[in-house]
Amino acid sequence: MSYKEDLAIKIATGNSCELVALQYQALIENVQDLGKYINKNDKEKTFAASDKIRDILSNLIATLGDDNNDFKNASIDLYLYINRVVNNAVIKKDTSEISGIIKIFETLRDAWYSAGANMSDKNEHKNLSKGITYGKTDVNISGSTSDLGRG
């Protein structure tokens, strides 16, 4: 089974926590790529990777909902901090903080996978999971995302 096929199955069968964990996995992969591209001085790929990171962070912020609570505020603060680190890495061509970001995402990914493993409903967002295909280089959303992040 290919990487894309395996990922499509995870998306189609994952619950909301597992879908969040997959976004963190995508962040890990893109931050790793960003570090490589910065070190190779490949501006085009560096900018593309940083744009993907920002897109995923924006999506994670959008899924936090409308309620104002401590979890949402702390999450937004974390995502904005990571965005600043990514911007500084690109501008200064300095990858020294990349490994720290990856560790944060690995911790969050593992926590969300663990939470997802404790959920009973594997298809909580049927409309969403049927409409998304994701690969390391692309994301295609063709279904409804109205229930994204609501549980």
Side-chain angles (χ1 to χ4, degrees), residues 7-16 19 22 121-134 139-148:
L7 195 51
I9 289 170
K10 286 179 183 177
I11 290 169
T13 61
N15 59 43
S16 58
L19 293 175
L22 287 172
D121 185 5
K122 290 295 234 182
N123 285 312
E124 185 177 329
H125 299 295
K126 291 179 183 174
N127 290 339
L128 174 67
S129 63
K130 288 182 181 177
I132 295 178
T133 57
Y134 164 80
V139 175
N140 180 15
I141 301 175
S142 59
S144 169
T145 58
S146 62
D147 62 346
L148 182 63

Side-chain angles (χ1 to χ4, degrees), residues 24-25 27-28 31 57 74-75 77-79 81-83 85 97-112:
Y24 285 119
Q25 180 60 40
L27 282 167
I28 291 165
V31 170
L57 290 173
S75 296
D77 287 345
L78 175 65
Y79 300 148
Y81 163 75
I82 289 169
N83 186 57
V85 171
E97 295 188 63
I98 296 287
S99 62
I101 292 174
I102 291 170
K103 287 180 187 193
I104 291 169
F105 289 144
E106 287 172 341
T107 301
L108 290 168
R109 176 202 58 201
D110 295 346
W112 281 98

